[in-house]
Amino acid sequence: MEAPGMTKLREDSRKMDLSHKFTRKELTLLYEEVLYTILHRLGKPDPNHVADPDELYAYVQKVFGMDPDEHRIILQRVKELEKPMFCLKATVKQARGILGKDASGLSDPYCLLGLETKKRDSSSNGNQGNKKRAKAVVKNLIPEDQTHRTQIISQTLNPVWDETFILEFEDIANARFHLDMWDSDEVETVRQKLGEVTDLHGLKRIFKEARKDKGQDDFLGNVVLHLQDLHCRDDRWYKLEPRTETYPNRGHCHLQFLLIHKKRATSASKMQPNYIVHRHLLQQMVSYEILQHQAGSTSWDGELSKHANTILHLHATQKDLSDFHQDMAHWLAYSKLYQILEFNSNCLLHYITSIEYQWVEGRLRPVQQTELTDSFQSFLAYGLSVLRRYRIVFPFSAPKSKERLQSLLRVLVQMCKMKAFREFMQTSDLQQMVKESLKAGTEEWFQMKKQHLKPMVKTTEECGKALVDLLAEVNADLQQCLKMWNKCFISTMRVDLFSIAYLEMQELVSFYVQKQLSEIDSGVSQLTAESLFQLYLSLQELYRLKDFVSNRESPLELANFHQWFKELIPKWLQKAYTIALERTQRAVQVDQDMCKIALMYCRLLKQRAEELSSNQREEGEAANKLCVVVNDIEQLRIMILKLPSQLDWSRLEQKTREVIAPEQFQNTLHHQLQATVTCLNNEIRSVVQTLGTKLDAGIARHIQELSASSDSKDPEDSIIPLMKFLECELQYLNVNLVQENFNSLLGMLWNHTLELLKGAAKQKTSNLRYFRKLQFALQSLELCFHAEGCGLPKDTLHTTTFMALEKELDLCSSSSKRLIQKYFSARIQQQMEANPDKYGAVTIKALYRHSEQKLHIEVLNAVNLLPLDSNGSSDPFIQLTLEPRHEFPEVVARTTQCIKNNLHPLFDEVFEFLVPPEKCQQDGSCLLLTVFDYDTLGANDLEGEAFLPLCGVLGLNDMEETINPSAVPQTRLSLTHPGTAGNDILQILEIRKGDKEAQAFVKLRRQRTKQSKESE
């Protein structure tokens, strides 16, 4: 749909140019031209064109509005016209990779070409016929007067000719194109030829030429084509074919073909130049295509239908129109049609660019030059008229107005940059012309708005209201200009539209407003004074826009606008005083009862919500009722807190200081306000707690169902009901609660959920899948309550209960082997924190050798051992084992010798363990040195245990060449007793009755505890 105001522009355009309208006679002649083009179509149809002539006849019948009888009569008349002279316009462009026939390895190529028009005998299709045809050349097939020859290009294998020949024919079915390429040979002396020899191949060529006749040219290859296999326009590389099988690869030749007409019998072709006929045909088709475009003309992008493209392509080819003249015809047609039926102007850019690219000075005839100049002038005048009325032509409410305006600006800028434009046009200062158009358009728009808003009855009140409405329109237009249109003009043609419009508008407004105010006497009514105050505010808004004006030199006419209202200031002050007094009286009256009403409303609201929610069967429905309560109370609290600022209590207190004491004012208003806010906060907390209790029941039910669900079920499936419940409820609460109350509710629900999971984790079971299910639930709930930073922060989520529960579930869900590794990791940590003097210490040297994959342990001594025998001494020995046992199942325990009656034994023994390096890197992997006191009759007593973590052994992470075995440092390990380290792990393993490995490990560790005198 066209924008408002476009109709008048169209009428103006019709006055400027009526060349797009044809008389009935002109249409008939043009219709004959189209039918003649379709009837005498030559060549094979292009894949993207319409092949069926009946389809093309039906299409042009619609384009020209011909009824069937008229079409039949004109078509019969066209068929009776004399056929045109058919011609093949062949251009020999260039060749590449041809054979080198001269001694220099190069050739002097030229081409012979012509048309063979004789009918071939069908019996020549046999082998003998093929052999003869292969040896045939142009000079043997085509008469000499019909043979054409190119220039000779000396000494090259990639010649360039770019020569064009016109070849006539009558029957395209029996016409064949022949091109032979030859190497020109001139008679040369042997000395000259030897001077050109560069290699052995050149010498062979000299011997070969010696056997030829002098001056005989060498055949380089040929191209033979059936004309009926060509498209009406073809431009391709063709392979040069040999006459024999010798040298089959002879290069390629670039040929361009056009199947054109001469001596067309139509009246239009006889009376008018070719490109004018083509332009008229194009105008008619484009007009039809635009009118058929369903989305409206402004969205048409210049793309023609398949039928139109086919006809225009055939017509341009048959009439031998160059690409330049086709582009020029498109520009002339499109630029005129754009002024009648506005469409997407981006297509105009394409033809402007094409004309500019192909432009050669002096190329056009005087008539063509005049047409192009007229098109520039017409389009420039139309474009400037559209820019002058851009507010009407491109209204803000119309779709794609900004894109349409920007596209038109680009076309104008590119057109004025063209070499053709600068050559033919005298005025080329586009910026200045656009500025003048915008300035004139601004004044026209202001006068139109002023006339439109002019009151019917010129009373003082009506005139004042009209001024206010006019200023509102002006300010809105300038705001729209600044935010939307100015960027288009600046980016496209560097014209500051806003500055032009503002400077013109403020001058017009100043003159008009001052004139209107001068006609208003000083004795205006209070109503008129109030209306003029709105005018003052609008002028103030207009004046503030001056900050966005660039390069402002002279002072603004609006600079002293406030002085225009001096006589109205007393009335404005009187109105302000009256309004302030009324507000103060109402505030004092309302504030005394506001707090009481708020509290009463809060209690009634809460009571009603609790009654409704108690009758709800579903927790979610009850929660929804309470959400409404929380929000209402919160809004009430916010409103109460805004009272001091909204009613300006501080100013009120100052004004009433002489009447009301500050203490009385404080007790009357501030204390009541504070008490009310405190009560509302308590009520909010109470309702949030009630809301949390309602949701706790649903969470407890789902966690109970989660605990009771089958352990064979996937943890992700087991947690789905709980997560859906939380997602549904929390999503509603997040939308319907303010953030502060929502976070408070989340904290309550999180703590309750942790207690429920903690209770579920206390179940005594050895089923790992049960605890993994709870662990997955805890992880999912943490993500849910955090909500990627939109929920509770990590610090709030990671409470002491959460950390303990997370650790417990991690242990309970781990395999027995993993727990044993964790146990030894805990004992290693105990080892690092042990008191070195309590149970004694062991000194060793440890080295890992990668070349042997052996752990080398040298036990040196033990010191400060506990006296465990009755004689005050001990009989110590040390047992060495690699732990955990499941990581080193094939490594047997080693034992040192027993040293009698010695609390500081010296062992000095060496042990080697064959272990791969990756085993030493496992978590909890260690060397366990257990020091016993040997007892002959009873069980050995435990002196202590020492743990050496294998991951830190020298040589394991180092290059073996860099380590000196004799310089391995000593490691002193403090002895420890089982104590409490790892007890929680042992308790979990002890529950797993069906796990033999777990039970054996627990039994061994319990035995160590019994052997420890510390435990007695």
Side-chain angles (χ1 to χ4, degrees):
M1 187 173 180
E2 283 196 345
M6 185 61 76
T7 305
K8 191 166 189 312
L9 285 177
R10 300 303 178 219
E11 292 174 355
D12 294 344
S13 299
R14 292 189 183 98
K15 292 176 184 177
M16 287 189 295
D17 184 15
L18 294 174
S19 61
H20 70 287
K21 290 291 185 181
F22 301 111
T23 64
R24 192 63 187 174
K25 181 180 179 181
E26 289 172 336
L27 274 179
T28 303
L29 294 178
L30 194 59
Y31 193 63
E32 288 180 356
E33 178 76 14
V34 176
L35 297 182
Y36 193 84
T37 300
I38 299 172
L39 181 64
H40 297 294
R41 181 178 189 173
L42 294 175
K44 186 171 62 174
D46 288 336
N48 57 343
H49 285 172
V50 178
D52 187 2
D54 291 334
E55 281 190 43
L56 298 179
Y57 287 140
Y59 172 75
V60 296
Q61 192 175 340
K62 295 176 184 177
V63 171
F64 286 83
M66 296 289 178
D67 58 45
D69 292 335
E70 285 180 301
H71 170 74
R72 187 169 55 256
I73 294 170
I74 297 175
L75 180 59
Q76 182 60 36
R77 189 162 66 238
V78 168
K79 290 180 178 179
E80 294 172 357
L81 293 176
E82 183 180 355
K83 290 184 178 181
M85 181 184 295
F86 300 138
C87 299
L88 175 67
K89 184 177 181 180
T91 301
V92 184
K93 293 283 190 178
Q94 58 183 320
R96 64 188 180 195
I98 64 175
L99 294 178
K101 289 290 188 177
D102 294 343
S104 61
L106 303 174
S107 292
D108 304 316
Y110 68 93
C111 297
L112 295 177
L113 61 151
L115 289 180
E116 178 191 5
T117 56
K118 295 180 180 179
K119 292 186 179 180
R120 290 249 167 202
D121 189 1
S122 59
S123 62
S124 64
N125 292 332
N127 294 332
Q128 185 66 26
N130 286 337
K131 185 175 181 181
K132 289 181 179 179
R133 182 183 61 80
K135 291 185 178 181
V137 293
V138 170
K139 56 187 178 183
N140 297 332
L141 287 174
I142 303 172
E144 186 176 352
D145 61 339
Q146 299 177 18
T147 302
H148 301 270
R149 175 174 178 148
T150 67
Q151 294 181 354
I152 300 172
I153 309 299
S154 301
Q155 295 297 291
T156 180
L157 298 182
N158 301 292
V160 176
W161 290 284
D162 201 14
E163 297 183 39
T164 301
F165 305 93
I166 304 295
L167 312 175
E168 299 178 0
F169 64 91
E170 294 182 359
D171 184 8
I172 192 172
N174 296 315
R176 295 201 308 169
F177 172 80
H178 286 263
L179 179 143
D180 292 347
M181 190 177 296
W182 297 85
D183 169 42
S184 176
D185 280 344
E186 298 179 358
V187 179
E188 295 179 326
T189 64
V190 175
R191 182 184 298 274
Q192 289 175 325
K193 292 183 178 181
L194 288 175
E196 296 175 357
V197 173
T198 58
D199 54 14
L200 183 59
H201 294 287
L203 192 60
K204 290 182 179 178
R205 292 190 189 97
I206 290 180
F207 293 140
K208 184 177 179 181
E209 290 176 3
R211 296 193 296 269
K212 292 193 314 181
D213 296 336
K214 291 185 179 180
Q216 181 179 352
D217 294 345
D218 293 314
F219 180 78
L220 297 177
N222 68 353
V223 176
V224 180
L225 301 171
H226 289 274
L227 262 61
Q228 63 183 2
D229 294 333
L230 296 176
H231 298 102
C232 66
R233 180 188 292 264
D234 256 330
D235 190 336
R236 295 192 312 173
W237 285 88
Y238 295 90
K239 184 178 179 181
L240 291 171
E241 300 291 344
R243 286 188 297 176
T244 62
E245 296 301 323
T246 309
Y247 300 119
N249 187 10
R250 292 175 173 262
H252 295 79
C253 185
H254 184 191
L255 301 174
Q256 183 187 78
F257 297 108
L258 294 178
L259 294 170
I260 64 174
H261 291 175
K262 283 188 176 181
K263 298 181 180 179
R264 288 167 66 96
T266 61
S267 299
S269 296
K270 292 178 179 179
M271 294 187 299
Q272 293 177 316
N274 290 341
Y275 87 99
I276 292 181
V277 177
H278 187 74
R279 175 163 60 85
H280 289 170
L281 178 59
L282 176 65
Q283 285 180 204
Q284 186 68 20
M285 289 189 174
V286 172
S287 300
Y288 173 78
E289 294 276 336
I290 294 177
L291 294 175
Q292 295 300 311
H293 194 64
Q294 295 180 356
S297 64
T298 56
S299 62
W300 187 68
D301 59 357
E303 195 66 33
L304 294 173
S305 66
K306 193 175 182 179
H307 298 78
N309 280 324
T310 302
I311 294 172
L312 291 171
H313 181 75
L314 290 174
H315 188 261
T317 304
Q318 291 174 8
K319 309 223 34 149
D320 193 18
L321 280 180
S322 65
D323 292 340
F324 173 80
H325 284 92
Q326 289 183 56
D327 290 334
M328 182 172 164
H330 274 83
W331 162 252
L332 293 174
Y334 278 47
S335 63
K336 290 180 180 179
L337 285 172
Y338 181 80
Q339 302 172 41
I340 310 303
L341 297 168
E342 184 198 1
F343 47 85
N344 191 331
S345 56
N346 283 331
C347 61
L348 295 174
L349 279 175
H350 170 72
Y351 298 112
I352 286 177
T353 306
S354 297
I355 292 173
E356 176 70 5
Y357 179 74
Q358 302 175 75
W359 181 254
V360 177
E361 188 174 352
R363 181 173 187 172
L364 297 181
R365 297 175 182 175
V367 176
Q368 297 172 343
Q369 178 179 328
T370 301
E371 285 187 337
L372 187 59
T373 304
D374 291 343
S375 73
F376 288 154
Q377 291 175 341
S378 176
F379 191 82
L380 181 60
Y382 175 76
L384 292 174
S385 70
V386 170
L387 295 182
R388 189 173 68 249
R389 307 181 192 184
Y390 78 91
R391 296 174 177 87
I392 303 171
V393 180
F394 305 107
F396 183 74
S397 57
K400 296 186 177 180
S401 290
K402 184 177 180 181
E403 291 79 0
R404 289 163 50 210
L405 174 60
Q406 198 157 20
S407 178
L408 175 60
L409 292 175
R410 289 198 193 99
V411 173
L412 289 172
V413 170
Q414 291 301 118
M415 182 183 74
C416 292
K417 288 182 179 179
M418 293 173 64
K419 292 190 286 286
F421 185 90
R422 295 197 299 269
E423 182 178 340
F424 300 148
M425 301 290 289
Q426 298 298 325
T427 58
S428 59
D429 191 355
L430 179 63
Q431 280 190 349
Q432 187 60 34
M433 290 188 289
V434 169
K435 289 178 181 179
E436 292 174 358
S437 296
L438 294 175
K439 186 176 179 180
T442 300
E443 183 176 0
E444 290 176 6
W445 179 86
F446 180 81
Q447 298 299 336
M448 181 190 68
K449 286 293 180 183
K450 184 176 71 173
Q451 190 67 26
H452 176 71
L453 296 172
K454 192 174 182 179
M456 298 294 292
V457 180
K458 294 186 178 181
T459 62
T460 306
E461 289 78 7
E462 290 295 327
C463 289
K465 186 175 182 299
L467 283 175
V468 172
D469 293 341
L470 178 60
L471 262 293
E473 292 277 357
V474 169
N475 286 329
D477 177 74
L478 289 175
Q479 289 286 353
Q480 191 178 102
C481 172
L482 178 64
K483 295 178 180 178
M484 181 175 177
W485 302 119
N486 203 41
K487 294 179 181 178
C488 295
F489 280 87
I490 290 178
S491 62
T492 307
M493 56 176 54
R494 298 179 181 178
V495 171
D496 190 349
L497 167 65
F498 174 78
S499 297
I500 296 171
Y502 181 82
L503 293 175
E504 182 68 16
M505 202 79 80
Q506 64 91 26
E507 186 175 344
L508 294 169
V509 167
S510 299
F511 177 78
Y512 182 65
V513 171
Q514 288 186 78
K515 180 181 177 183
Q516 293 296 108
L517 289 177
S518 65
E519 298 175 0
I520 299 175
D521 56 15
S522 58
V524 296
S525 65
Q526 187 64 40
L527 183 62
T528 303
E530 293 175 15
S531 175
L532 292 177
F533 183 72
Q534 294 299 322
L535 175 63
Y536 172 81
L537 294 178
S538 298
L539 285 170
Q540 189 179 53
E541 181 183 352
L542 175 61
Y543 184 67
R544 286 172 182 164
L545 291 174
K546 72 181 185 307
D547 297 334
F548 299 99
V549 177
S550 60
N551 300 325
R552 178 165 53 89
E553 298 176 355
S554 59
L556 298 176
E557 295 293 333
L558 277 176
N560 298 318
F561 74 94
H562 54 279
Q563 295 183 0
W564 307 343
F565 301 90
K566 287 188 298 184
E567 298 179 358
L568 298 172
I569 291 177
K571 292 186 178 293
W572 292 350
L573 292 176
Q574 179 62 36
K575 181 63 177 178
Y577 174 78
T578 304
I579 293 174
L581 184 60
E582 291 175 355
R583 287 179 178 176
T584 302
Q585 292 173 349
R586 286 199 304 268
V588 173
Q589 184 179 356
V590 170
D591 289 349
Q592 293 177 353
D593 299 326
M594 183 68 74
C595 297
K596 295 180 181 179
I597 294 173
L599 290 176
M600 180 61 68
Y601 170 77
C602 175
R603 293 192 183 98
L604 291 174
L605 191 64
K606 180 183 176 185
Q607 181 182 355
R608 179 59 178 162
E610 288 179 347
E611 291 175 0
L612 292 173
S613 62
S614 62
N615 297 327
Q616 300 292 336
R617 295 182 179 179
E618 295 292 334
E619 295 85 351
E621 296 181 8
N624 295 345
K625 299 292 183 181
L626 293 175
C627 276
V628 176
V629 175
V630 173
N631 285 334
D632 287 347
I633 298 176
E634 178 65 25
Q635 291 301 321
L636 187 59
R637 186 181 72 87
I638 294 173
M639 186 189 71
I640 293 294
L641 288 172
K642 289 181 179 179
L643 283 178
S645 60
Q646 289 180 342
L647 300 180
D648 200 358
W649 282 5
S650 60
R651 187 175 180 184
L652 180 63
E653 184 177 1
Q654 293 176 1
K655 295 291 184 180
T656 59
R657 188 181 301 273
E658 298 178 357
V659 181
I660 304 174
E663 297 79 9
Q664 185 180 359
F665 194 92
Q666 191 75 12
N667 293 330
T668 303
L669 295 179
H670 290 286
H671 287 179
Q672 288 189 18
L673 177 69
Q674 190 60 40
T676 303
V677 172
T678 302
C679 292
L680 291 177
N681 287 335
N682 292 335
E683 293 296 339
I684 290 175
R685 282 193 293 270
S686 174
V687 178
V688 170
Q689 189 172 4
T690 304
L691 186 60
T693 304
K694 295 289 184 181
L695 293 178
D696 284 344
I699 295 174
R701 185 179 72 251
H702 283 91
I703 289 181
Q704 185 178 4
E705 293 175 356
L706 173 67
S707 302
S709 63
S710 174
D711 294 333
S712 61
K713 194 175 181 181
D714 191 79
E716 294 184 4
D717 297 332
S718 302
I719 195 68
I720 287 176
L722 173 59
M723 298 308 295
K724 283 186 176 180
F725 172 78
L726 286 174
E727 180 182 4
C728 177
E729 296 300 329
L730 294 182
Q731 186 177 7
Y732 176 84
L733 294 173
N734 187 30
V735 173
N736 293 280
L737 284 179
V738 295
Q739 192 64 39
E740 181 181 356
N741 294 331
F742 179 68
N743 289 341
S744 177
L745 177 62
L746 280 183
M748 294 171 55
L749 294 177
W750 175 247
N751 292 330
H752 178 71
T753 303
L754 290 179
E755 292 298 329
L756 293 173
L757 286 175
K758 183 178 178 182
K762 295 301 181 185
Q763 182 175 341
K764 301 295 183 181
T765 177
S766 60
N767 191 340
L768 299 184
R769 296 183 64 85
Y770 174 81
F771 291 105
R772 287 173 182 167
K773 179 170 58 178
L774 294 182
Q775 184 185 33
F776 183 79
L778 179 64
Q779 295 170 352
S780 300
L781 288 169
E782 180 190 5
L783 295 175
C784 175
F785 278 84
H786 182 58
E788 297 181 349
C790 298
L792 295 177
K794 291 284 188 179
D795 295 341
T796 304
L797 291 171
H798 293 169
T799 61
T800 305
T801 304
F802 171 81
M803 302 300 290
L805 180 60
E806 184 180 42
K807 180 180 179 183
E808 181 180 357
L809 292 178
D810 181 52
L811 292 176
C812 292
S813 61
S814 298
S815 64
S816 297
K817 292 181 179 180
R818 181 62 181 159
L819 287 176
I820 293 172
Q821 289 178 320
K822 288 179 178 290
Y823 174 83
F824 282 108
S825 296
R827 293 303 303 275
I828 292 172
Q829 185 65 29
Q830 180 194 11
Q831 169 82 53
M832 297 171 62
E833 300 170 357
N835 186 348
D837 298 325
K838 187 172 183 179
Y839 303 110
V842 177
T843 303
I844 65 171
K845 289 183 178 181
L847 175 66
Y848 187 84
R849 293 175 177 164
H850 277 279
S851 59
E852 302 174 357
Q853 288 199 352
K854 286 183 179 181
L855 176 64
H856 180 86
I857 301 296
E858 184 176 352
V859 181
L860 301 177
N861 58 32
V863 296
N864 301 327
L865 299 179
L866 297 177
L868 300 180
D869 292 341
S870 56
N871 60 1
S873 185
S874 290
D875 304 325
F877 70 94
I878 301 177
Q879 184 183 71
L880 292 84
T881 58
L882 293 181
E883 300 291 349
R885 299 300 302 160
H886 63 264
E887 293 290 349
F888 306 99
E890 298 179 357
V891 181
V892 298
R894 309 292 180 83
T895 306
T896 66
Q897 61 181 339
C898 181
I899 308 298
K900 297 291 185 178
N901 298 321
N902 198 332
L903 298 180
H904 307 280
L906 179 65
F907 297 101
D908 201 16
E909 296 185 41
V910 178
F911 302 92
E912 290 184 341
F913 300 90
L914 183 61
V915 290
E918 58 272 10
K919 291 291 184 180
C920 299
Q921 300 283 7
Q922 299 288 340
D923 290 341
S925 296
C926 62
L927 172 67
L928 171 58
L929 298 101
T930 309
V931 183
F932 290 103
D933 171 39
Y934 178 77
D935 286 341
T936 306
L937 300 177
N940 298 325
D941 297 323
L942 180 66
E943 286 279 357
E945 296 175 314
F947 299 86
L948 175 69
L950 298 183
C951 61
V953 172
L954 181 68
L956 186 64
N957 301 313
D958 305 303
M959 298 294 293
E960 190 171 344
E961 297 82 4
T962 63
I963 300 173
N964 184 3
S966 61
V968 177
Q970 297 180 2
T971 302
R972 181 185 174 95
L973 302 172
S974 299
L975 295 178
T976 62
H977 277 233
T980 59
N983 277 353
D984 50 350
I985 297 175
L986 294 178
Q987 291 173 3
I988 295 172
L989 289 172
E990 193 170 11
I991 296 174
R992 300 178 182 180
K993 300 297 183 182
D995 192 336
K996 294 182 180 181
E997 184 177 4
Q999 294 304 311
F1001 181 77
V1002 171
K1003 181 178 179 181
L1004 176 62
R1005 299 319 304 172
R1006 297 301 187 201
Q1007 183 180 356
R1008 288 284 186 268
T1009 304
K1010 290 180 181 180
Q1011 290 174 325
S1012 172
K1013 295 285 186 178
E1014 190 75 10
S1015 63
E1016 296 178 358

